[in-house]
Amino acid sequence: MKAFDLPPDLFTPWEGAVAFRLFAEQDDPTLTVSEQIAARVGDRILDGTMAPGARIGEQELADEFAVSRGPIRDALRILEREGLVTLLARRGAIVTELRAAELRELLEIRAGLFEIVVRKLAAQ
């Protein structure tokens, strides 16, 4: 069997291993409140629940998660570092809008990560 003749479902069991996750889903008590909130909001952004360009209300999130605005601000800073949120001075936060070139670059990076995971799994 040649490399290009691989069955289409060969890598299906490992696809979840390279899906972008801000934090892995685990019962890890060491995650801070801000990290937990960032993970949940990040999931919403990635699954399309929060649309690109959408305003992110600090107070609404604070009410939803029953915390003060401090942990929300920290969570938004985490998401900004990951490129999911854009913080605007004195105007709040919005979901980052990606240009086609940025999206293509992200997909290339994910494809490279997927290749690395497959090679490591194959070596085992």
Side-chain angles (χ1 to χ4, degrees), residues 23-121:
F23 300 99
E25 278 198 50
Q26 55 185 342
D27 295 332
D28 189 353
T30 60
L31 289 180
T32 66
V33 171
S34 298
E35 290 170 337
Q36 293 174 44
I37 293 169
R40 288 210 182 139
V41 174
D43 285 343
R44 293 177 192 173
I45 292 170
L46 293 172
D47 71 15
T49 304
M50 297 178 82
R55 184 184 165 283
I56 301 172
E58 287 182 11
Q59 190 59 54
E60 290 84 0
L61 288 176
D63 293 342
E64 176 183 344
F65 292 107
V67 296
S68 68
R69 288 173 53 187
I72 300 299
R73 288 187 188 117
D74 292 340
L76 293 175
R77 282 188 211 103
I78 291 169
L79 293 169
E80 181 183 38
R81 283 194 309 264
E82 297 298 323
L84 296 175
V85 167
T86 301
L87 296 178
L88 306 170
R90 293 179 293 284
R91 294 190 314 192
I94 61 168
V95 176
T96 300
E97 296 182 72
L98 296 176
R99 295 185 307 251
E102 293 170 322
L103 185 57
R104 185 174 27 258
E105 187 176 299
L106 282 174
L107 292 174
E108 288 174 2
I109 291 168
R110 288 183 187 177
L113 291 173
F114 185 71
E115 180 182 350
I116 291 168
V117 168
V118 169
R119 286 178 195 251
K120 287 186 178 218
L121 289 172

